[in-house]
Amino acid sequence: MTDYVSAGSNGSAGFAQPLLSGEGTGRIPVRSFVKNEILARLSCQGLSEIGRCLEPIVLKERMVLQEPRRKLDYVYFIESGLVSLRIAAAGAIVETAVIGYRGAVGASRLVGGHVSTHQSVVLFPGTAHRIDVEALRGLMNARPEILDRLAWYVQALGLHCAQTGFCGVCHNREKRLATWLCLASDAIDAQVLPVTHDYLSSVLGLRRAGITETLNLFEELGLIQKTRGVLQIGNRDSLEHRTCCCYKLISAAYSSTDTELARF
């Protein structure tokens, strides 16, 4: 069963950390409370202005944040958890990217101006800050730094999606699986991934038996430890050596975004 975000409820129970501290209109951003890298790299003034329009939301597993070819109401700045960006058709899904604390769901449609064919679904539960699209559009016009940061992120995400398609055609099962595990780990900044063999089989378009065989190999080599519904990366460096060139290219795209943002 899939949950949809309600326009009338932010589901923010238990979301304890505010984006901004202080009282009145002169609130000062507290960066220790902002994990999303797009927001965290804004200037103090930029963070203060966008912070007035943000609302916290709890991301529940299987919650749909974005549907293809539908009006976009919010952009979601992910703080924790993992969102799967995918194409769904004829009862099958193909995942093109994963979005974690470095990114924003819906930014591509706002910055790129095209109608998305993707669906965005929460894979690992977490938290986010969401903002009304029209409010964000106004802020982007008023403060170019916000547009710049979103544009750099969208460029990296676009490369991620394109490289995922290339990887699915050109690389073998072991490299693709190692790449997915490393990218997911990067996106949530953690080594424990609550993901099943069935899910990996589905989004990678591989037979479940092949996924199980490869994960067993990784476990024998000490790269991961697996229990029911959870994979823990044990030796990250060795697992990374098993990835294909796509991992380095995608990782570098997000890193170069960070470098460019640091110039501001």
Side-chain angles (χ1 to χ4, degrees), residues 191 221-225 232-240:
Q191 305 301 312
L221 295 172
L223 308 183
I224 65 168
Q225 295 88 46
Q232 180 169 350
I233 298 175
N235 189 327
R236 172 56 194 257
D237 289 340
S238 295
L239 181 63
E240 199 169 309

Side-chain angles (χ1 to χ4, degrees), residues 4 15 20 29 31 34 61 104 122 125 139 143 163 175 179 196 202 204 208 224 231 241 252 264:
Y4 289 82
F15 196 111
L20 301 169
R31 294 184 183 278
V34 183
E61 186 178 358
V122 177
L139 286 166
R143 296 199 64 85
Q163 204 66 37
K175 290 182 179 297
T179 294
T196 65
S202 175
L204 293 175
R208 189 187 188 285
I224 65 168
L231 296 175
H241 283 308
F264 286 88

Side-chain angles (χ1 to χ4, degrees), residues 63-144:
M63 181 183 286
V64 178
L65 304 182
Q66 175 186 8
E67 282 281 25
R69 294 174 294 277
R70 289 191 183 177
K71 181 178 179 292
L72 182 66
D73 295 319
Y74 297 97
V75 170
Y76 298 82
F77 293 93
I78 308 302
E79 288 280 303
S80 63
L82 190 68
V83 176
S84 171
L85 187 64
R86 56 179 63 168
I87 297 173
I93 61 172
V94 176
E95 186 176 82
T96 60
V98 288
I99 301 174
Y101 75 98
R102 296 180 296 187
V105 174
S108 297
R109 291 179 64 174
L110 192 61
V111 175
H114 61 279
V115 177
S116 175
T117 57
H118 287 81
Q119 181 187 60
S120 299
V121 181
V122 177
L123 177 57
F124 304 162
T127 57
H129 294 289
R130 75 179 183 181
I131 182 171
D132 178 82
V133 164
E134 294 309 315
L136 180 55
R137 203 186 304 274
L139 286 166
M140 288 164 52
N141 291 333
R143 296 199 64 85

Side-chain angles (χ1 to χ4, degrees), residues 37-58:
E37 287 197 350
I38 299 172
L39 296 177
R41 292 186 181 277
L42 291 173
S43 66
C44 289
Q45 185 62 33
L47 182 57
S48 177
E49 290 189 18
I50 198 172
R52 297 187 183 99
C53 301
L54 293 169
E55 62 174 321
I57 180 171
V58 173

Side-chain angles (χ1 to χ4, degrees), residues 103-239:
V105 174
S108 297
R109 291 179 64 174
L110 192 61
V111 175
H114 61 279
V115 177
S116 175
T117 57
H118 287 81
Q119 181 187 60
S120 299
V121 181
V122 177
L123 177 57
F124 304 162
T127 57
H129 294 289
R130 75 179 183 181
I131 182 171
D132 178 82
V133 164
E134 294 309 315
L136 180 55
R137 203 186 304 274
L139 286 166
M140 288 164 52
N141 291 333
R143 296 199 64 85
E145 66 161 323
I146 296 175
L147 173 59
D148 289 343
R149 281 150 178 76
L150 286 173
W152 272 110
Y153 168 71
V154 168
Q155 182 178 357
L157 181 63
L159 183 143
H160 188 164
C161 293
Q163 204 66 37
T164 296
F166 173 83
C167 189
V169 173
C170 297
H171 297 142
N172 64 33
R173 179 179 68 205
E174 180 180 312
K175 290 182 179 297
R176 290 177 63 198
L177 184 53
T179 294
W180 191 95
L181 294 175
C182 286
L183 287 173
S185 173
D186 290 347
I188 64 173
D189 193 24
Q191 305 301 312
V192 178
L193 308 174
V195 66
T196 65
H197 295 202
D198 284 336
Y199 182 82
L200 292 171
S201 171
S202 175
V203 296
L204 293 175
L206 298 168
R207 293 173 55 248
R208 189 187 188 285
I211 292 290
T212 299
E213 180 183 335
T214 305
L215 290 176
N216 287 341
L217 172 63
F218 287 174
E219 189 166 40
E220 290 172 7
L221 295 172
L223 308 183
I224 65 168
Q225 295 88 46
K226 54 186 176 69
T227 57
R228 187 174 180 83
V230 176
L231 296 175
Q232 180 169 350
I233 298 175
N235 189 327
R236 172 56 194 257
D237 289 340
S238 295
L239 181 63

